[in-house]
Amino acid sequence: MYKILILEDDLLFLETLEDFLTSEGFLVDCAKNSNEALELNYKNSYDLYIFDINLPEISGLELLKLLRDSNDKTATIFLTSYKDSDTLKDAFLKGCDDYIKKPVDLDELLLRVKAVLKRVNRSFEKIILEDGLIFDQENRRVYRDNIDVSLAIKAMDLLELFVQNQGKIVSKDEIITKLWGFNESYSEGSIRVYINQIKKLFKKENVIQNIKSVGYRFEL
């Protein structure tokens, strides 16, 4: 499942968004202000942000600039009641991927969420990794001969990262950013554990190659 952070100070609307996106199979965290959003951001890794713009203290625009300045490239959709072109232009300049004007149509929101995730290589298709081994990206499950292999969550995150970057070198920094929040501890040994869990899924060898002192390359 894909993980979404919603920032919205209208609590009733926030609950509506959470219930709707959860019912559509997403994992959802909610923040009522930008400080709460930052705290959740430090603890978790997300596939998508949905931010209101008009917020007290730190606006959604200012928050996204802070995140982009810290090299956070997570896809972002703004919810806004603004209709002027200058605000919308500023939203894109600060790094948003899309926006939806309020009042929000939930069906339109779902379409835009899926479209943005697809644009940033978060596919909703099932991928055949090898004969009998399937990665269901939408539900984040791996099946061997139609049986769920119950892959650990962080191993699943790593497999997803590899699939999205097949044939490319994935650096250790990219792996650390994907698997651990800013305040979570990690070790080289932990990375190797998840690498080995993925390797064991495959009958063929050398699916994951260690590029010394750089990272790993995943090739089907």
Side-chain angles (χ1 to χ4, degrees):
M1 293 182 184
Y2 298 106
K3 195 164 187 177
I4 298 175
L5 173 60
I6 305 175
L7 169 60
E8 170 60 58
D9 64 346
D10 182 330
L11 299 187
L12 183 59
F13 182 43
L14 178 61
E15 184 178 345
T16 298
L17 292 174
E18 180 184 18
D19 289 346
F20 174 71
L21 290 171
T22 299
S23 72
E24 292 295 332
F26 296 97
L27 296 174
V28 179
D29 283 342
C30 296
K32 299 184 293 295
N33 56 60
S34 293
N35 288 325
E36 284 187 11
L38 282 171
E39 289 179 11
L40 287 166
N41 178 269
Y42 289 140
K43 296 176 182 177
N44 303 285
S45 176
Y46 295 97
D47 298 294
L48 178 69
Y49 299 139
I50 299 177
F51 289 170
D52 186 15
I53 289 181
N54 189 17
L55 296 163
E57 298 180 0
I58 303 174
S59 72
L61 292 173
E62 292 172 302
L63 175 60
L64 184 60
K65 186 177 185 304
L66 287 172
L67 295 172
R68 292 293 188 255
D69 287 346
S70 66
N71 203 34
D72 185 336
K73 299 177 182 178
T74 303
T76 304
I77 296 174
F78 275 128
L79 306 177
T80 177
S81 55
Y82 289 101
K83 294 180 173 60
D84 62 287
S85 59
D86 287 341
T87 299
L88 299 179
K89 180 180 178 181
D90 193 25
F92 281 104
L93 288 174
K94 285 186 168 58
C96 85
D97 296 87
D98 201 353
Y99 70 91
I100 303 178
K101 292 182 180 180
K102 294 182 177 180
V104 173
D105 179 273
L106 294 178
D107 290 332
E108 179 187 358
L109 174 64
L110 180 61
L111 290 173
R112 289 179 181 264
V113 165
K114 290 188 174 182
V116 168
L117 288 172
K118 285 180 179 178
R119 285 204 298 271
V120 293
N121 295 320
R122 303 293 195 272
S123 175
F124 289 85
E125 300 175 354
K126 294 179 181 178
I127 292 179
I128 299 175
L129 300 173
E130 66 178 19
D131 188 29
L133 186 65
I134 294 175
F135 178 28
D136 181 347
Q137 293 188 93
E138 181 170 3
N139 296 302
R140 285 171 50 85
R141 311 302 298 176
V142 176
Y143 299 94
R144 164 68 71 184
D145 298 327
N146 297 318
I147 298 174
D148 190 337
V149 301
S150 299
L151 195 63
I153 292 175
K154 289 192 185 300
M156 186 73 72
D157 289 339
L158 183 55
L159 176 61
E160 182 180 62
L161 181 63
F162 282 149
V163 167
Q164 291 165 0
N165 294 277
Q166 186 184 169
K168 301 176 184 178
I169 296 175
V170 177
S171 71
K172 291 181 180 178
D173 285 343
E174 289 178 283
I175 292 173
I176 291 165
T177 300
K178 176 72 174 179
L179 270 62
W180 288 278
F182 289 113
N183 66 339
E184 287 186 286
S185 60
Y186 62 88
S187 67
E188 294 286 335
S190 298
I191 294 175
R192 288 194 293 271
V193 166
Y194 299 126
I195 291 285
N196 287 331
Q197 286 183 17
I198 294 173
K199 284 182 175 180
K200 289 178 181 178
L201 294 174
F202 294 86
K203 296 175 181 177
K204 58 186 178 182
E205 298 180 357
N206 299 320
V207 171
I208 301 174
Q209 301 166 27
N210 185 356
I211 311 300
K212 190 173 181 181
S213 301
V214 179
Y216 298 88
R217 181 165 52 220
F218 176 81
E219 291 187 288
L220 294 175

